[in-house]
Amino acid sequence: ELCLSKELQSNTNKMAQFQEVMRQQLESSMHTELEKLLSTAKGAKAEVSKKDFEGFRNLFHRFLQVKGPSVEWAKINRPPEDSIQPFDKIKAKGLPDNIADSLNKLVVVKLNGGLGTSMGCKGPKSLISVRNENTFLDLTVQQIEHLNKTYNADVPLVLMNSFNTDEDTKKILQKYTHHGVKIHTFNQSRYPRINKESLLPVAKDMAMTGENADVWYPPGHGDIYASFYNSGLLEQLIAEGKEYIFVSNIDNLGATVDLYILNHLVSQPNGKRCEFIMEVTDKTRADVKGGTLIQYDGKLRLLEIAQVPKAHVDEFKSVTKFKIFNTNNLWISLSAIKRLQEQNAMDMEIIVNPKTINGGLNVIQLETAVGAAIKCFDNALGINVPRSRFLPVKTTSDLLLVMSNLYSLEAGSLTMSERREFPTTPHVKLGSSFTKVQEYLTRFESIPDMLELDHLTVSGDVTFGKQVSLKGTVIIIANHGDRIDIPAGSMLENKIVSGNLRILDH
């Protein structure tokens, strides 16, 4: 038995040594390939690419080191009671007379790296019209302009663009020159996609056109810390007296500046100052995939579905065990970001995102999520906010909600209509004929009255006339080859409308 044990140990050691040699060879090959790519970069872009590749090398090194899942399920605990505060408790503190002083310490950062491809649009998603001809970007600028005018403050807007959105966004920014908002931009990194088999970059040079159009990617919003720091903008804002950033997705129309949360941050004692706040909200069955907060190794930590072992996915999705999810509305200390970047102490779990490009080539891209850094900051806190602060527009189904009379628009902010009797939004599922914004718009002569709607499902070739009213549960299904035109002025309440426009009670 002793001999067998020694032999097993020896084999294990040999295997570990072999794996280490393989890892080193892969890192060496990756280093060589990246140097080759850099040699094709020209001028100022070469310096930017060099910094990007330093970040990529670090991520790739960590990716090769990872053994097994990033969390041990048995070590997961519910967060302590006081680590997730109810919003009402924060609000109860009220606001000081000098709230402008707090606002002058704030910077609003919007994640603006995404394209509108999922809604059939070319160019940045932030330039899609969502309400009264206003784009996501228009609404954001209007909100901050209103804030600055009302409180005589100077809150700047910072856009984190990607190489996909930067050029188009910068062209549009000229139209805001006379608005009362300073607007800055910086670019997130550009990383090479990796061949899934060889684990080496697919790109042959630094060009981004032709064959190379598909071989680069922006590495997720966790890249904000490094790219913000590398851009020099972080240092500049600190020098201007800014202390906190409020970060959110530009397509979350509920993510407005909340004065109560800001006041809570700024008014805390120095010794116990909170460096990171994550806004969470109660989970519904529609949010089962959203990341949640857990206690792990004595720290608050974000747990994403991608990190959950397969055997525990159903448990993760349960509304009873994990009651809240991350809205990606985050309040973060600028000086803490600077400190963690300089100490190289920003630790975020790697998300391996598989893709298929160039006529079937399987690649992977390594990404990180901005909220995953919560464990690196001191005195991090979750605040359980009302659902109204999470209003993302990812699909035309979401777009229908925000264009409807469920919401009123004032100074760039959407507010649920007081005429709706309950605060939840209806569940809307529009079929594939509505996926692209242009086609979706042709199917509505005007947006229906949805104040009393609970659930809407539409499938197939369906159009809506003017002043249609939808109440309760409405299901409209046009079979293949059929077309349903809902006549102008129709009122559908708890109805199923099937292929030949028979209207049945539901």
Side-chain angles (χ1 to χ4, degrees):
E1 273 186 25
L2 192 60
C3 289
L4 191 60
S5 168
K6 280 184 177 175
E7 194 175 331
L8 280 172
Q9 186 61 49
S10 168
N11 286 342
T12 306
N13 291 344
K14 280 178 187 167
M15 183 56 109
Q17 284 168 354
F18 173 71
Q19 286 172 339
E20 186 53 38
V21 168
M22 289 297 290
R23 267 200 297 273
Q24 286 174 4
Q25 282 179 354
L26 264 172
E27 285 208 52
S28 173
S29 302
M30 176 61 82
H31 180 79
T32 306
E33 290 299 314
L34 293 177
E35 288 301 312
K36 276 189 208 165
L37 285 171
L38 276 175
S39 69
T40 69
K42 294 177 179 67
K45 285 187 176 173
E47 202 49 46
V48 174
S49 300
K50 197 175 175 186
K51 275 187 177 171
D52 285 355
F53 281 9
E54 278 170 24
F56 176 76
R57 277 195 189 100
N58 182 27
L59 201 58
F60 186 69
H61 172 77
R62 285 175 49 224
F63 163 68
L64 293 179
Q65 299 293 328
V66 170
K67 301 179 187 77
S70 57
V71 290
E72 290 176 42
W73 198 254
K75 287 168 70 177
I76 288 174
N77 292 304
R78 281 190 183 174
E81 282 299 309
D82 61 344
S83 66
I84 299 179
Q85 301 268 344
F87 177 73
D88 287 347
K89 188 177 171 186
I90 305 291
K91 194 175 178 179
K93 287 168 71 174
L95 293 175
D97 295 336
N98 60 341
I99 193 69
D101 293 351
S102 300
L103 278 168
N104 286 330
K105 293 173 181 173
L106 182 70
V107 178
V108 172
V109 180
K110 292 288 181 181
L111 304 172
N112 185 46
L115 293 167
T117 41
S118 64
M119 291 162 79
C121 295
K122 286 182 175 158
K125 186 175 183 182
S126 56
L127 307 185
I128 295 174
S129 287
V130 282
R131 180 84 187 215
N132 304 356
E133 302 299 310
N134 287 299
T135 64
F136 290 104
L137 190 52
D138 290 334
L139 295 177
T140 301
V141 172
Q142 286 168 29
Q143 286 165 22
I144 302 173
E145 184 178 32
H146 177 69
L147 204 58
N148 284 341
K149 275 185 182 165
T150 307
Y151 295 98
N152 192 23
D154 178 24
V155 178
L157 169 63
V158 171
L159 299 172
M160 179 168 88
N161 298 337
S162 68
F163 60 82
N164 290 318
T165 63
D166 189 51
E167 203 175 314
D168 290 339
T169 302
K170 279 182 174 163
K171 281 180 195 163
I172 290 288
L173 289 182
Q174 292 167 5
K175 82 181 212 186
Y176 305 116
T177 330
H178 301 297
H179 288 62
V181 184
K182 288 179 192 155
I183 303 178
H184 307 276
T185 65
F186 69 94
N187 261 13
Q188 63 186 117
S189 308
R190 168 163 74 118
Y191 283 2
R193 283 178 165 155
I194 307 169
N195 184 313
K196 195 177 176 184
E197 300 303 319
S198 68
L199 292 184
L200 292 173
V202 182
K204 296 290 174 269
D205 57 50
M206 296 298 290
M208 291 172 61
T209 49
E211 284 183 3
N212 260 4
D214 255 359
V215 299
W216 304 100
Y217 73 99
H221 41 56
D223 181 57
I224 185 172
Y225 304 108
S227 50
F228 195 14
Y229 179 81
N230 289 340
S231 71
L233 188 54
L234 177 80
E235 196 76 61
Q236 180 190 323
L237 292 166
I238 289 173
E240 288 172 14
K242 305 300 180 190
E243 291 182 18
Y244 290 95
I245 53 172
F246 170 49
V247 182
S248 63
N249 298 348
I250 199 154
D251 64 8
N252 178 6
L253 294 177
T256 56
V257 171
D258 185 89
L259 298 177
Y260 297 101
I261 296 178
L262 174 63
N263 180 49
H264 179 73
L265 272 171
V266 173
S267 62
Q268 285 183 320
N270 269 338
K272 189 79 173 130
R273 187 151 284 188
C274 171
E275 294 183 340
F276 193 109
I277 283 178
M278 176 181 286
E279 291 185 36
V280 296
T281 194
D282 291 340
K283 219 187 216 186
T284 69
R285 304 220 175 266
D287 313 306
V288 291
K289 291 183 178 177
T292 193
L293 278 181
I294 57 170
Q295 181 85 346
Y296 195 89
D297 289 342
K299 288 231 170 192
L300 265 191
R301 185 158 163 180
L302 179 65
L303 177 68
E304 299 276 10
I305 194 164
Q307 296 163 256
V308 177
K310 280 197 172 66
H312 296 282
V313 165
D314 287 342
E315 199 180 332
F316 174 83
K317 288 180 175 180
S318 141
V319 181
T320 47
K321 179 161 184 179
F322 299 104
K323 293 182 164 66
I324 46 121
F325 74 98
N326 167 28
T327 63
N328 224 35
N329 300 348
L330 309 167
W331 304 72
I332 313 172
S333 156
L334 283 166
S335 58
I337 296 174
K338 182 173 186 278
R339 179 188 79 234
L340 290 165
Q341 276 301 124
E342 288 173 351
Q343 292 172 354
N344 199 20
M346 203 69 83
D347 176 26
M348 292 164 281
E349 288 73 35
I350 296 170
I351 301 160
V352 181
N353 193 349
K355 298 271 180 187
T356 305
I357 60 163
N358 291 351
L361 179 66
N362 289 326
V363 296
I364 54 172
Q365 49 191 53
L366 307 178
E367 302 175 9
T368 54
V370 57
I374 187 169
K375 63 184 180 196
C376 309
F377 290 85
D378 293 340
N379 304 317
L381 183 68
I383 295 183
N384 193 337
V385 297
R387 179 72 185 207
S388 57
R389 291 192 56 74
F390 184 67
L391 187 59
V393 180
K394 304 287 182 194
T395 63
T396 49
S397 302
D398 301 329
L399 195 55
L400 182 63
L401 291 173
V402 300
M403 290 176 91
S404 75
N405 62 344
L406 286 165
Y407 292 95
S408 57
L409 177 66
E410 195 177 333
S413 299
L414 290 179
T415 319
M416 177 75 78
S417 168
E418 288 176 3
R419 288 161 54 215
R420 182 160 173 87
E421 289 181 10
F422 23 89
T424 54
T425 51
H427 192 55
V428 173
K429 287 195 289 191
L430 300 179
S432 55
S433 304
F434 291 78
T435 305
K436 295 182 175 175
V437 173
Q438 293 316 113
E439 193 175 352
Y440 152 90
L441 290 170
T442 63
R443 293 184 173 276
F444 292 96
E445 277 194 62
S446 69
I447 302 296
D449 173 345
M450 292 163 56
L451 276 175
E452 294 178 48
L453 180 70
D454 299 323
H455 179 109
L456 172 67
T457 295
V458 183
S459 176
D461 187 359
V462 178
T463 61
F464 292 79
K466 282 186 176 169
Q467 295 178 319
V468 171
S469 180
L470 305 171
K471 299 181 180 185
T473 296
V474 178
I475 298 169
I476 305 169
I477 298 172
N479 297 325
H480 187 66
D482 288 339
R483 174 174 168 159
I484 294 177
D485 297 312
I486 304 295
S490 303
M491 197 276 279
L492 301 178
E493 182 170 8
N494 295 329
K495 292 282 189 272
I496 298 175
V497 183
S498 66
N500 53 9
L501 220 157
R502 284 179 303 142
I503 295 185
L504 310 171
D505 275 322
H506 172 70

